[in-house]
Amino acid sequence: MHIMEGFLPSPWWEIWFLLSIPFIVIGLYQINRLVKENRETLPLLAVAGAFVFVLSSLKLPSVTGSCSHPTGTGLGAILFGPFIASVLGLIVLIYQALFLAHGGLTTLGANVFSMGIAGPIVAYLIYKAGTRAGINTYVTVFFAAALADLFTYVVTSVQLALAFPGEAGFFTAFQAFAAIFAVTQVPLAVIEGAVIALVFKYIVQLKPEILTKLNLLPEATIRKLQEAAA
Amino acid sequence: MKYALEIAVTAIIVIFAAVFLVQNAAIQADLAEGEEAWGGADGSAAELIESSGYEPWTSPLWEPPSGEIESLFFSLQAAIGAIVIGYFFGYWRGSRKTA
């Protein structure tokens, strides 16, 4: 669930735009380079974007009695890094702001920052750390995607608490917003992590050569994973 | 195990659905007449902010005129994504088989 249109007063919405724009610019530059150098990765990029589309359209009920949706940006971040993932997030956020009045154009900068940048950075770092530590690939992907989803809404809560600290101050406001966004998100984050781990398994089975080309998994690991599933 | 991951994911989804059913029964039992549970988290945040007296300074350019039209656009969003995923996974699978 994104910050709604008009719910970030000046100067906050401008600040989040300023912070997000560099990521988008670098992301566009990286996509351009990726497409020129490695045309065969283009379908995988489309699939990563499509996952953001599907997962962020599913509003799921959570234990708190309210609904929210997963983000789906973890997969793009693991495969292509946080800069490209921010562009994928931006596309979906524009679609939702224009056609669904979900999120908004003035809050776009803040929403891109939470869903397209902060979450993906977490996914990317966890994936890199987990792979280096030799943890099972699917477990790593699960944690990367789930924590990216959760962190997105922690950041949304921070953004709202900064803009609306109230009389009680930032920390009290943060707790109130986190109770709404982040707690609702916990079960959804688990589902998102599980689904993306499963998708990763299918990518390992169907298109492993792209994973080695993008330096995501060494060939030996891919062979081991494929044998386990054979 | 060949399908270990599939089984784990199915189990997570089943647990999620079961928790929802139990929780929903509890919530529906205490719900007052005319109240609706399971609203969006963004709506609850907006209520919290508005209770401090804040008024949003701008509103969306266009809003779906009804819940049905809103669900049309949400389904369209999911359908676009699903087509792309299905197309490429099918394409990869087909090209591996012929290779």
Side-chain angles (χ1 to χ4, degrees), chain B:
Chain B
M1 258 258 288
K2 194 177 172 185
Y3 293 115
L5 195 57
E6 279 85 352
I7 293 168
V9 173
T10 315
I12 289 174
I13 293 173
V14 169
I15 292 170
F16 179 82
V19 169
F20 165 68
L21 288 174
V22 171
Q23 185 77 358
N24 185 41
I27 287 179
Q28 297 298 342
D30 322 317
L31 213 56
E33 195 75 33
E35 264 187 313
E36 208 184 56
W38 308 107
D42 53 354
S44 337
E47 260 170 47
L48 182 68
I49 294 167
E50 279 172 334
S51 70
S52 71
Y54 177 81
E55 297 256 340
W57 60 277
T58 174
S59 49
L61 292 173
W62 186 81
E63 272 183 80
S66 76
E68 278 69 23
I69 295 171
E70 186 179 358
S71 65
L72 162 73
F73 281 106
F74 268 114
S75 329
L76 196 63
Q77 187 190 329
I80 294 169
I83 283 181
V84 173
I85 297 165
Y87 176 83
F88 285 116
F89 274 47
Y91 178 79
W92 288 332
R93 196 181 154 83
S95 31
R96 275 187 95 74
K97 273 200 168 151
T98 42

Coordinates of all heavy atoms in Angstrom, one line a residue, chain B:
Chain B
M1 N 14.7 -34.1 -2.7 CA 13.3 -34.2 -3.0 C 13.0 -33.3 -4.2 O 13.4 -32.1 -4.2 CB 12.5 -33.8 -1.8 CG 11.9 -34.9 -1.1 SD 10.2 -35.3 -1.3 CE 9.4 -34.0 -0.5
K2 N 12.4 -33.8 -5.2 CA 12.1 -33.1 -6.4 C 11.2 -31.9 -6.2 O 11.5 -30.8 -6.6 CB 11.5 -34.0 -7.4 CG 11.6 -33.4 -8.8 CD 11.0 -34.5 -9.8 CE 10.9 -33.8 -11.2 NZ 10.3 -34.7 -12.2
Y3 N 10.1 -32.1 -5.4 CA 9.1 -31.0 -5.3 C 9.1 -30.4 -3.9 O 8.1 -29.8 -3.5 CB 7.8 -31.6 -5.6 CG 7.6 -31.9 -7.1 CD1 7.4 -33.3 -7.5 CD2 7.7 -31.0 -8.1 CE1 7.3 -33.6 -8.8 CE2 7.6 -31.3 -9.4 CZ 7.4 -32.6 -9.8 OH 7.3 -32.9 -11.1
A4 N 10.3 -30.5 -3.2 CA 10.3 -30.0 -1.8 C 9.8 -28.5 -1.7 O 9.0 -28.1 -0.9 CB 11.7 -30.1 -1.2
L5 N 10.4 -27.7 -2.6 CA 10.1 -26.3 -2.6 C 8.6 -26.0 -2.9 O 7.9 -25.2 -2.2 CB 11.0 -25.5 -3.6 CG 11.0 -24.0 -3.5 CD1 11.5 -23.6 -2.1 CD2 12.0 -23.4 -4.5
E6 N 8.0 -26.7 -3.9 CA 6.6 -26.6 -4.2 C 5.8 -26.9 -3.0 O 4.8 -26.2 -2.7 CB 6.2 -27.5 -5.4 CG 6.6 -26.9 -6.8 CD 8.0 -27.3 -7.2 OE1 8.8 -27.8 -6.3 OE2 8.4 -27.0 -8.3
I7 N 6.1 -28.0 -2.3 CA 5.3 -28.4 -1.2 C 5.4 -27.4 -0.1 O 4.4 -27.0 0.5 CB 5.8 -29.8 -0.6 CG1 5.5 -30.9 -1.7 CG2 5.2 -30.2 0.7 CD1 6.2 -32.2 -1.5
A8 N 6.6 -26.8 0.2 CA 6.8 -25.8 1.2 C 5.9 -24.6 0.9 O 5.2 -24.0 1.7 CB 8.2 -25.4 1.3
V9 N 5.9 -24.1 -0.4 CA 5.2 -22.9 -0.8 C 3.7 -23.2 -0.6 O 3.0 -22.3 -0.1 CB 5.5 -22.5 -2.2 CG1 4.6 -21.4 -2.7 CG2 7.0 -22.1 -2.3
T10 N 3.2 -24.4 -1.1 CA 1.8 -24.7 -0.9 C 1.4 -24.7 0.5 O 0.4 -24.1 0.9 CB 1.5 -26.1 -1.5 OG1 2.1 -26.2 -2.8 CG2 0.0 -26.3 -1.7
A11 N 2.3 -25.3 1.4 CA 2.0 -25.3 2.8 C 1.8 -23.9 3.4 O 0.9 -23.6 4.1 CB 3.1 -26.1 3.6
I12 N 2.8 -23.0 3.0 CA 2.7 -21.6 3.5 C 1.4 -20.9 3.1 O 0.7 -20.3 3.9 CB 3.9 -20.8 2.9 CG1 5.2 -21.2 3.6 CG2 3.7 -19.3 3.1 CD1 6.4 -20.6 3.1
I13 N 0.9 -21.2 1.8 CA -0.3 -20.6 1.3 C -1.5 -21.1 2.1 O -2.4 -20.4 2.4 CB -0.4 -20.7 -0.2 CG1 0.7 -19.9 -0.9 CG2 -1.8 -20.3 -0.7 CD1 0.8 -20.0 -2.3
V14 N -1.5 -22.4 2.3 CA -2.6 -23.1 3.0 C -2.7 -22.5 4.5 O -3.8 -22.1 4.9 CB -2.5 -24.6 3.0 CG1 -3.5 -25.2 4.0 CG2 -2.7 -25.2 1.6
I15 N -1.5 -22.4 5.1 CA -1.5 -21.8 6.5 C -2.1 -20.4 6.5 O -2.9 -20.0 7.3 CB -0.1 -21.8 7.1 CG1 0.3 -23.3 7.3 CG2 0.0 -21.0 8.4 CD1 1.8 -23.4 7.7
F16 N -1.6 -19.6 5.5 CA -2.1 -18.2 5.3 C -3.6 -18.2 5.2 O -4.3 -17.4 5.8 CB -1.4 -17.6 4.1 CG -1.8 -16.2 3.8 CD1 -1.2 -15.2 4.5 CD2 -2.8 -15.9 2.9 CE1 -1.5 -13.9 4.2 CE2 -3.1 -14.6 2.6 CZ -2.5 -13.6 3.3
A17 N -4.2 -19.1 4.3 CA -5.6 -19.1 4.1 C -6.3 -19.5 5.4 O -7.4 -18.9 5.8 CB -6.0 -20.0 3.0
A18 N -5.8 -20.5 6.1 CA -6.4 -20.9 7.3 C -6.4 -19.8 8.4 O -7.5 -19.6 9.1 CB -5.7 -22.2 7.9
V19 N -5.3 -19.1 8.5 CA -5.2 -18.0 9.5 C -6.3 -17.0 9.1 O -7.0 -16.4 10.0 CB -3.8 -17.4 9.5 CG1 -3.8 -16.1 10.3 CG2 -2.8 -18.4 10.1
F20 N -6.4 -16.7 7.8 CA -7.4 -15.7 7.4 C -8.8 -16.1 7.8 O -9.6 -15.3 8.3 CB -7.3 -15.5 5.9 CG -8.5 -14.8 5.3 CD1 -8.7 -13.4 5.6 CD2 -9.4 -15.4 4.5 CE1 -9.8 -12.8 5.1 CE2 -10.5 -14.7 4.0 CZ -10.7 -13.4 4.3
L21 N -9.1 -17.4 7.6 CA -10.5 -17.9 7.9 C -10.8 -17.7 9.4 O -11.9 -17.2 9.7 CB -10.7 -19.3 7.4 CG -10.8 -19.5 5.9 CD1 -10.8 -20.9 5.5 CD2 -12.0 -18.8 5.3
V22 N -9.8 -18.1 10.2 CA -10.1 -18.1 11.7 C -10.2 -16.6 12.1 O -11.1 -16.2 12.8 CB -8.9 -18.7 12.4 CG1 -8.9 -18.5 13.9 CG2 -8.8 -20.2 12.1
Q23 N -9.3 -15.8 11.6 CA -9.3 -14.4 12.0 C -10.6 -13.7 11.5 O -11.2 -12.9 12.2 CB -8.1 -13.7 11.3 CG -7.8 -12.3 11.7 CD -7.2 -12.1 13.0 OE1 -7.0 -13.1 13.7 NE2 -7.0 -10.9 13.5
N24 N -11.0 -14.0 10.3 CA -12.2 -13.4 9.7 C -13.4 -13.8 10.5 O -14.2 -12.9 10.8 CB -12.4 -13.9 8.3 CG -13.5 -13.2 7.6 OD1 -13.7 -12.0 7.8 ND2 -14.3 -13.9 6.8
A25 N -13.5 -15.0 11.0 CA -14.6 -15.4 11.8 C -14.7 -14.6 13.1 O -15.7 -14.1 13.5 CB -14.5 -16.9 12.1
A26 N -13.5 -14.4 13.7 CA -13.4 -13.6 14.9 C -13.8 -12.1 14.7 O -14.6 -11.5 15.4 CB -12.0 -13.7 15.5
I27 N -13.3 -11.6 13.6 CA -13.6 -10.2 13.3 C -15.1 -10.0 13.0 O -15.7 -9.1 13.5 CB -12.7 -9.7 12.1 CG1 -11.3 -9.5 12.6 CG2 -13.2 -8.4 11.6 CD1 -10.3 -9.1 11.6
Q28 N -15.6 -10.9 12.1 CA -17.0 -10.7 11.7 C -18.0 -10.8 13.0 O -19.0 -10.1 13.0 CB -17.5 -11.8 10.7 CG -16.7 -11.7 9.4 CD -16.9 -10.5 8.6 OE1 -17.8 -9.7 8.9 NE2 -16.0 -10.2 7.7
A29 N -17.6 -11.6 14.0 CA -18.4 -11.8 15.2 C -18.5 -10.5 16.0 O -19.6 -10.2 16.5 CB -17.8 -12.9 16.0
D30 N -17.4 -9.7 16.0 CA -17.5 -8.4 16.8 C -17.9 -7.2 16.0 O -17.8 -6.1 16.4 CB -16.2 -7.9 17.5 CG -15.4 -9.0 18.0 OD1 -15.9 -9.8 18.6 OD2 -14.2 -8.8 17.9
L31 N -18.1 -7.4 14.7 CA -18.3 -6.2 13.8 C -19.7 -5.6 14.0 O -20.7 -6.3 14.1 CB -18.2 -6.7 12.4 CG -17.6 -5.7 11.4 CD1 -16.2 -5.2 11.9 CD2 -17.4 -6.4 10.0
A32 N -19.7 -4.3 14.2 CA -21.0 -3.7 14.4 C -21.7 -3.6 13.0 O -21.1 -3.7 12.0 CB -20.8 -2.3 15.0
E33 N -23.0 -3.4 13.1 CA -23.9 -3.2 11.9 C -23.3 -2.1 11.0 O -23.0 -1.0 11.4 CB -25.3 -2.9 12.3 CG -26.4 -3.0 11.3 CD -26.7 -4.5 11.1 OE1 -26.7 -5.3 12.0 OE2 -27.1 -4.8 9.9
G34 N -23.1 -2.5 9.7 CA -22.7 -1.4 8.7 C -21.2 -1.2 8.7 O -20.7 -0.5 7.8
E35 N -20.4 -1.9 9.6 CA -19.0 -1.7 9.5 C -18.4 -2.7 8.6 O -19.0 -3.8 8.4 CB -18.4 -2.0 10.9 CG -18.2 -0.7 11.7 CD -17.4 -1.0 13.0 OE1 -17.8 -2.0 13.7 OE2 -16.5 -0.3 13.3
E36 N -17.3 -2.4 8.0 CA -16.6 -3.4 7.1 C -15.2 -3.6 7.5 O -14.5 -2.6 7.7 CB -16.7 -2.8 5.7 CG -16.7 -3.9 4.6 CD -16.7 -3.3 3.2 OE1 -15.7 -2.6 2.9 OE2 -17.6 -3.7 2.4
A37 N -14.8 -4.9 7.6 CA -13.4 -5.1 8.0 C -12.6 -5.3 6.7 O -13.1 -5.2 5.6 CB -13.4 -6.4 8.8
W38 N -11.3 -5.6 6.8 CA -10.4 -5.8 5.7 C -10.3 -4.7 4.7 O -10.2 -4.9 3.6 CB -10.8 -7.1 5.0 CG -11.0 -8.3 5.9 CD1 -12.1 -8.9 6.2 CD2 -9.9 -9.0 6.6 NE1 -11.9 -9.9 7.1 CE2 -10.6 -10.0 7.3 CE3 -8.5 -8.9 6.6 CZ2 -9.9 -10.9 8.1 CZ3 -7.8 -9.8 7.4 CH2 -8.5 -10.8 8.1
G39 N -10.3 -3.5 5.3 CA -10.0 -2.3 4.4 C -8.5 -2.3 4.1 O -7.7 -3.0 4.7
G40 N -8.1 -1.3 3.3 CA -6.7 -1.2 2.9 C -5.8 -0.6 4.1 O -6.4 0.3 4.8
A41 N -4.6 -1.0 4.2 CA -3.7 -0.4 5.2 C -3.5 1.1 4.9 O -3.3 1.9 5.8 CB -2.3 -1.1 5.2
D42 N -3.5 1.5 3.6 CA -3.3 2.9 3.3 C -4.5 3.7 3.8 O -4.3 4.9 4.2 CB -3.0 3.1 1.8 CG -4.0 2.5 0.9 OD1 -4.9 1.8 1.4 OD2 -4.0 2.7 -0.3
G43 N -5.7 3.1 3.7 CA -6.8 3.9 4.2 C -6.7 4.1 5.7 O -7.0 5.2 6.2
S44 N -6.2 3.1 6.5 CA -6.1 3.3 8.0 C -5.0 4.4 8.3 O -5.2 5.2 9.2 CB -5.7 2.0 8.7 OG -6.0 0.9 8.0
A45 N -4.0 4.4 7.5 CA -2.9 5.4 7.7 C -3.5 6.8 7.4 O -3.3 7.7 8.1 CB -1.7 5.1 6.8
A46 N -4.3 6.9 6.3 CA -4.9 8.2 5.9 C -5.8 8.6 7.1 O -5.8 9.8 7.4 CB -5.7 8.0 4.6
E47 N -6.6 7.7 7.7 CA -7.5 8.1 8.8 C -6.7 8.6 9.9 O -7.0 9.7 10.5 CB -8.2 6.8 9.3 CG -9.6 6.7 8.8 CD -10.2 5.4 9.1 OE1 -10.1 4.9 10.3 OE2 -10.8 4.7 8.2
L48 N -5.6 7.9 10.3 CA -4.7 8.4 11.4 C -4.2 9.8 11.1 O -4.2 10.6 12.0 CB -3.6 7.4 11.5 CG -2.6 7.6 12.7 CD1 -3.3 7.4 14.0 CD2 -1.4 6.7 12.6
I49 N -3.8 10.0 9.9 CA -3.2 11.4 9.6 C -4.3 12.4 9.6 O -4.2 13.5 10.2 CB -2.6 11.3 8.2 CG1 -1.3 10.4 8.2 CG2 -2.2 12.7 7.7 CD1 -0.8 10.1 6.8
E50 N -5.5 12.1 9.0 CA -6.6 13.1 9.0 C -7.1 13.4 10.4 O -7.6 14.5 10.6 CB -7.7 12.6 8.1 CG -7.4 12.9 6.6 CD -8.3 12.3 5.6 OE1 -8.9 11.2 6.0 OE2 -8.5 12.8 4.5
S51 N -7.0 12.4 11.3 CA -7.5 12.6 12.7 C -6.7 13.7 13.4 O -7.1 14.3 14.4 CB -7.4 11.4 13.5 OG -6.1 11.0 13.8
S52 N -5.4 14.0 12.9 CA -4.6 15.1 13.4 C -5.0 16.5 12.8 O -4.5 17.5 13.1 CB -3.2 14.9 13.2 OG -2.9 15.0 11.9
G53 N -6.0 16.4 11.9 CA -6.5 17.7 11.3 C -5.9 18.0 10.0 O -6.2 19.0 9.4
Y54 N -5.0 17.1 9.5 CA -4.4 17.4 8.2 C -5.4 17.1 7.0 O -6.1 16.2 7.0 CB -3.2 16.4 8.0 CG -2.5 16.5 6.7 CD1 -1.6 17.6 6.4 CD2 -2.7 15.6 5.7 CE1 -0.9 17.7 5.2 CE2 -2.1 15.7 4.4 CZ -1.2 16.8 4.2 OH -0.5 16.9 3.0
E55 N -5.3 18.0 6.0 CA -6.2 17.8 4.9 C -5.2 17.6 3.7 O -4.3 18.4 3.5 CB -7.0 19.1 4.5 CG -7.9 19.5 5.6 CD -9.4 19.2 5.2 OE1 -9.6 19.0 4.0 OE2 -10.2 19.0 6.1
P56 N -5.4 16.5 2.9 CA -4.5 16.3 1.7 C -4.6 17.6 0.8 O -5.7 18.1 0.6 CB -5.1 15.1 1.0 CG -6.3 14.7 1.8 CD -6.4 15.5 3.0
W57 N -3.4 18.0 0.3 CA -3.4 19.3 -0.4 C -3.7 19.1 -1.9 O -3.8 20.0 -2.6 CB -2.0 20.0 -0.2 CG -0.8 19.2 -0.6 CD1 -0.2 18.2 0.1 CD2 -0.2 19.2 -1.9 NE1 0.8 17.7 -0.6 CE2 0.9 18.3 -1.8 CE3 -0.3 20.0 -3.0 CZ2 1.8 18.1 -2.9 CZ3 0.6 19.8 -4.1 CH2 1.6 18.9 -4.0
T58 N -3.7 17.8 -2.3 CA -4.1 17.6 -3.7 C -4.8 16.3 -3.8 O -4.7 15.4 -2.9 CB -2.9 17.7 -4.7 OG1 -3.3 17.3 -6.0 CG2 -1.8 16.7 -4.2
S59 N -5.6 16.1 -4.8 CA -6.3 14.8 -5.0 C -6.0 14.2 -6.3 O -5.5 14.9 -7.2 CB -7.8 14.9 -4.8 OG -8.2 16.0 -5.6
P60 N -6.1 12.8 -6.5 CA -5.8 12.2 -7.7 C -6.4 12.8 -8.9 O -7.6 13.3 -8.8 CB -6.3 10.8 -7.6 CG -6.3 10.6 -6.1 CD -6.7 11.9 -5.5
L61 N -5.7 12.8 -10.1 CA -6.3 13.4 -11.3 C -7.6 12.7 -11.7 O -8.5 13.3 -12.1 CB -5.3 13.2 -12.4 CG -4.0 14.0 -12.3 CD1 -3.0 13.6 -13.5 CD2 -4.3 15.5 -12.4
W62 N -7.5 11.4 -11.6 CA -8.7 10.5 -12.0 C -8.8 9.4 -11.0 O -7.8 8.8 -10.6 CB -8.4 10.0 -13.4 CG -9.5 9.2 -13.9 CD1 -10.6 9.7 -14.5 CD2 -9.7 7.8 -13.9 NE1 -11.5 8.7 -14.9 CE2 -11.0 7.5 -14.5 CE3 -9.0 6.7 -13.4 CZ2 -11.5 6.3 -14.7 CZ3 -9.5 5.4 -13.6 CH2 -10.7 5.2 -14.2
E63 N -10.0 9.2 -10.6 CA -10.3 8.0 -9.7 C -11.2 7.1 -10.3 O -12.2 7.5 -11.0 CB -10.9 8.5 -8.4 CG -9.8 9.0 -7.4 CD -10.4 9.4 -6.0 OE1 -10.8 8.5 -5.3 OE2 -10.6 10.6 -5.8
P64 N -11.0 5.8 -10.1 CA -12.0 4.8 -10.7 C -13.3 5.1 -10.1 O -13.5 5.2 -8.9 CB -11.5 3.5 -10.2 CG -10.1 3.7 -9.7 CD -9.9 5.1 -9.4
P65 N -14.4 5.3 -11.0 CA -15.7 5.8 -10.5 C -16.4 4.8 -9.6 O -17.3 5.1 -8.8 CB -16.5 6.1 -11.7 CG -15.7 5.6 -12.8 CD -14.3 5.3 -12.4
S66 N -16.0 3.5 -9.6 CA -16.7 2.5 -8.7 C -15.7 1.4 -8.4 O -14.6 1.3 -9.0 CB -17.9 1.9 -9.4 OG -17.5 1.0 -10.3
G67 N -16.1 0.6 -7.4 CA -15.2 -0.5 -7.0 C -15.0 -1.5 -8.1 O -14.0 -2.1 -8.2
E68 N -16.1 -1.7 -8.9 CA -16.0 -2.6 -10.1 C -14.9 -2.1 -11.1 O -14.1 -2.9 -11.5 CB -17.3 -2.7 -10.8 CG -18.3 -3.6 -10.2 CD -18.9 -3.1 -8.8 OE1 -18.8 -1.9 -8.6 OE2 -19.3 -3.9 -8.0
I69 N -14.9 -0.8 -11.4 CA -14.0 -0.3 -12.3 C -12.5 -0.4 -11.7 O -11.6 -0.7 -12.4 CB -14.4 1.1 -12.8 CG1 -15.7 1.0 -13.5 CG2 -13.3 1.7 -13.7 CD1 -16.3 2.2 -13.9
E70 N -12.5 -0.2 -10.4 CA -11.1 -0.3 -9.8 C -10.6 -1.7 -9.9 O -9.5 -2.0 -10.3 CB -11.2 0.1 -8.3 CG -9.9 0.1 -7.6 CD -10.0 0.5 -6.2 OE1 -11.1 0.8 -5.7 OE2 -8.9 0.5 -5.5
S71 N -11.5 -2.7 -9.7 CA -11.1 -4.1 -9.8 C -10.7 -4.5 -11.2 O -9.9 -5.3 -11.5 CB -12.1 -5.1 -9.2 OG -13.3 -5.1 -9.9
L72 N -11.4 -3.8 -12.2 CA -11.0 -4.0 -13.6 C -9.6 -3.7 -13.8 O -8.8 -4.4 -14.4 CB -11.9 -3.1 -14.5 CG -11.4 -2.9 -15.9 CD1 -11.5 -4.2 -16.7 CD2 -12.1 -1.8 -16.6
F73 N -9.2 -2.5 -13.3 CA -7.8 -2.1 -13.5 C -6.8 -2.9 -12.8 O -5.7 -3.2 -13.2 CB -7.6 -0.6 -13.2 CG -8.1 0.3 -14.4 CD1 -9.3 1.0 -14.2 CD2 -7.4 0.3 -15.5 CE1 -9.7 1.8 -15.3 CE2 -7.9 1.1 -16.6 CZ -9.0 1.9 -16.4
F74 N -7.2 -3.4 -11.6 CA -6.3 -4.3 -10.8 C -6.1 -5.6 -11.5 O -5.0 -6.2 -11.6 CB -6.8 -4.5 -9.4 CG -6.2 -3.5 -8.4 CD1 -7.0 -2.6 -7.8 CD2 -4.8 -3.5 -8.1 CE1 -6.4 -1.6 -6.9 CE2 -4.3 -2.6 -7.2 CZ -5.1 -1.7 -6.6
S75 N -7.2 -6.1 -12.1 CA -7.2 -7.4 -12.8 C -6.3 -7.2 -14.1 O -5.6 -8.1 -14.4 CB -8.5 -7.9 -13.2 OG -9.5 -7.6 -12.3
L76 N -6.5 -6.1 -14.7 CA -5.8 -5.8 -15.9 C -4.3 -5.8 -15.6 O -3.5 -6.4 -16.4 CB -6.2 -4.5 -16.5 CG -5.8 -4.2 -17.9 CD1 -6.5 -5.2 -18.9 CD2 -6.3 -2.8 -18.3
Q77 N -3.9 -5.2 -14.5 CA -2.5 -5.2 -14.1 C -2.0 -6.6 -13.9 O -0.9 -6.9 -14.4 CB -2.4 -4.3 -12.8 CG -1.0 -4.1 -12.4 CD -1.0 -3.5 -11.0 OE1 -1.9 -2.8 -10.5 NE2 0.1 -3.8 -10.3
A78 N -2.7 -7.4 -13.2 CA -2.3 -8.8 -13.0 C -2.2 -9.6 -14.3 O -1.3 -10.3 -14.5 CB -3.2 -9.5 -12.0
A79 N -3.2 -9.3 -15.2 CA -3.2 -10.1 -16.4 C -2.0 -9.7 -17.3 O -1.4 -10.6 -17.9 CB -4.5 -9.8 -17.2
I80 N -1.7 -8.4 -17.4 CA -0.5 -8.0 -18.2 C 0.7 -8.7 -17.7 O 1.5 -9.3 -18.4 CB -0.3 -6.5 -18.1 CG1 -1.5 -5.7 -18.7 CG2 1.0 -6.1 -18.7 CD1 -1.5 -4.2 -18.5
G81 N 0.9 -8.7 -16.3 CA 2.1 -9.4 -15.8 C 2.0 -10.9 -16.1 O 3.1 -11.5 -16.5
A82 N 0.9 -11.5 -15.9 CA 0.8 -13.0 -16.0 C 1.1 -13.4 -17.5 O 1.7 -14.4 -17.7 CB -0.6 -13.5 -15.6
I83 N 0.6 -12.6 -18.4 CA 0.9 -13.0 -19.9 C 2.4 -13.0 -20.1 O 2.9 -13.9 -20.7 CB 0.1 -12.0 -20.8 CG1 -1.3 -12.3 -20.9 CG2 0.8 -12.0 -22.2 CD1 -2.1 -11.4 -21.8
V84 N 3.0 -11.9 -19.7 CA 4.5 -11.8 -19.9 C 5.2 -13.0 -19.3 O 6.1 -13.6 -19.9 CB 5.0 -10.5 -19.4 CG1 6.5 -10.4 -19.5 CG2 4.4 -9.3 -20.2
I85 N 4.9 -13.3 -18.0 CA 5.6 -14.4 -17.3 C 5.3 -15.7 -18.1 O 6.2 -16.5 -18.4 CB 5.1 -14.5 -15.9 CG1 5.5 -13.2 -15.1 CG2 5.7 -15.7 -15.2 CD1 4.8 -13.1 -13.8
G86 N 4.0 -16.0 -18.4 CA 3.7 -17.2 -19.0 C 4.3 -17.4 -20.4 O 4.8 -18.5 -20.7
Y87 N 4.3 -16.3 -21.1 CA 4.9 -16.3 -22.5 C 6.4 -16.7 -22.4 O 6.8 -17.7 -23.1 CB 4.7 -15.0 -23.2 CG 5.4 -14.9 -24.5 CD1 4.7 -15.4 -25.6 CD2 6.7 -14.4 -24.7 CE1 5.3 -15.4 -26.9 CE2 7.3 -14.4 -25.9 CZ 6.6 -14.9 -27.0 OH 7.2 -14.9 -28.2
F88 N 7.2 -16.0 -21.6 CA 8.6 -16.3 -21.6 C 9.0 -17.6 -20.9 O 9.8 -18.3 -21.4 CB 9.4 -15.2 -21.0 CG 9.5 -14.0 -21.9 CD1 8.9 -12.8 -21.6 CD2 10.1 -14.1 -23.1 CE1 8.9 -11.7 -22.4 CE2 10.2 -13.0 -24.0 CZ 9.6 -11.8 -23.6
F89 N 8.3 -18.0 -19.9 CA 8.6 -19.3 -19.3 C 8.2 -20.4 -20.2 O 9.0 -21.4 -20.4 CB 7.8 -19.5 -17.9 CG 8.6 -18.9 -16.8 CD1 9.1 -17.6 -16.8 CD2 8.7 -19.6 -15.6 CE1 9.8 -17.1 -15.8 CE2 9.4 -19.1 -14.5 CZ 10.0 -17.8 -14.6
G90 N 7.1 -20.3 -21.0 CA 6.7 -21.3 -22.0 C 7.7 -21.3 -23.1 O 8.1 -22.4 -23.6
Y91 N 8.2 -20.1 -23.5 CA 9.2 -20.0 -24.6 C 10.5 -20.7 -24.2 O 11.0 -21.5 -25.0 CB 9.4 -18.6 -24.9 CG 10.4 -18.3 -26.0 CD1 10.1 -18.5 -27.3 CD2 11.7 -18.0 -25.7 CE1 11.0 -18.3 -28.3 CE2 12.7 -17.7 -26.6 CZ 12.3 -17.9 -28.0 OH 13.3 -17.7 -28.9
W92 N 10.9 -20.4 -23.0 CA 12.2 -21.0 -22.5 C 12.1 -22.6 -22.4 O 13.0 -23.3 -22.8 CB 12.6 -20.5 -21.1 CG 13.1 -19.1 -21.2 CD1 13.7 -18.4 -22.3 CD2 13.0 -18.1 -20.2 NE1 14.0 -17.1 -22.0 CE2 13.6 -16.9 -20.7 CE3 12.5 -18.1 -18.9 CZ2 13.7 -15.7 -19.9 CZ3 12.6 -16.9 -18.1 CH2 13.2 -15.7 -18.7
R93 N 11.0 -23.0 -21.9 CA 10.7 -24.4 -21.8 C 10.7 -25.1 -23.1 O 11.4 -26.2 -23.3 CB 9.4 -24.7 -21.0 CG 9.3 -26.1 -20.5 CD 7.9 -26.2 -19.8 NE 7.6 -27.6 -19.8 CZ 8.0 -28.5 -19.0 NH1 8.7 -28.1 -18.0 NH2 7.6 -29.8 -19.1
G94 N 10.0 -24.5 -24.1 CA 10.0 -25.0 -25.4 C 11.3 -25.1 -26.1 O 11.7 -26.1 -26.7
S95 N 12.1 -24.0 -25.9 CA 13.4 -24.0 -26.6 C 14.4 -25.0 -26.0 O 15.2 -25.5 -26.6 CB 14.0 -22.6 -26.7 OG 13.7 -21.8 -25.7
R96 N 14.2 -25.3 -24.7 CA 15.1 -26.3 -24.0 C 14.7 -27.7 -24.5 O 15.6 -28.5 -24.7 CB 14.9 -26.3 -22.5 CG 15.8 -25.2 -21.8 CD 15.7 -25.4 -20.3 NE 16.8 -26.2 -19.8 CZ 18.0 -25.8 -19.8 NH1 18.3 -24.6 -20.2 NH2 19.0 -26.6 -19.3
K97 N 13.4 -27.9 -24.8 CA 13.0 -29.2 -25.2 C 13.5 -29.5 -26.6 O 13.9 -30.6 -26.9 CB 11.5 -29.3 -25.2 CG 11.0 -29.7 -23.9 CD 9.6 -30.3 -24.0 CE 9.2 -31.0 -22.7 NZ 7.7 -30.9 -22.5
T98 N 13.5 -28.5 -27.5 CA 13.9 -28.7 -28.9 C 15.4 -28.7 -29.0 O 16.0 -29.3 -29.9 CB 13.3 -27.7 -29.8 OG1 13.4 -26.4 -29.2 CG2 11.8 -28.0 -30.1
A99 N 16.1 -28.1 -28.1 CA 17.6 -28.0 -28.1 C 18.2 -29.3 -27.9 O 17.7 -30.2 -27.2 CB 18.1 -27.0 -27.1

